[in-house]
Amino acid sequence: MSEDARTPVDFWFDPLCPWAWITSRWILEVEKLRPIEVRWHVMSLSVLNEDKEVPEEYREGLAEGWGPVRLCIAAEKEYGAEALGRLYTELGVRRHHDRRKFDRAMLEEALTAAGLDPELASAAQSTEFDDAVRASHKDGIDRVGQEVGTPVIEVEGSAFFGPVVSPIPRGEAAVKLFDGVVAVASTDGFFELKRTRTRDPIFD
């Protein structure tokens, strides 16, 4: 099948979320085995929860979330969506695998590793990009409703939150999950399928 025939898969993420990180690595695994093209977009847990009653500890964590989403939007505007995907990978490895904070040194390092100008790290402290963050977030969340989190995925007009999974499915297991999730999400009138999480995010 030609590159032009690949099916777009739109993926909204917040770099802060470990569950979205696992899902993002899963969709890249699927991209190796299915004729899909992942297109990256920014959403924000800080925006999603700003008017909601959440525990104070969680709200303090959300305050950290503004910097990386501003940076991602700035990188997308400067370099395009493909660079956004590269930057997300570099941010995610340092955040979720290395357990580092989104400080200036980490952001500059991630930008450099993604082949982008490290000076762009200044965008993390700039409110200049907040309207664009909100617009990108709204674009994703409007497809699924407010009672979800990150990631949001849309495939051929069917949008859904998740899947939330741990550890990262690989190989044929990744494809099996993709086919099942898309089948469920594209079913008219289907809204919810859920069970209690019994493990923490596992990064391999």
Side-chain angles (χ1 to χ4, degrees), residues 71-90:
L71 176 61
C72 285
I73 286 290
E76 181 182 22
K77 286 183 175 297
E78 182 72 19
Y79 295 99
E82 191 274 333
L84 174 59
R86 296 201 313 271
L87 177 59
Y88 179 34
T89 289
E90 299 300 338

Side-chain angles (χ1 to χ4, degrees), residues 139-149 152-153 159-161:
D139 184 25
I141 208 71
D142 281 354
R143 299 166 193 250
V144 290
Q146 293 291 324
E147 302 306 317
V148 300
V152 168
I153 298 175
F160 51 91
F161 158 65

Side-chain angles (χ1 to χ4, degrees), residues 21 36 110 199:
W21 172 249
I36 66 169
R199 64 179 67 160

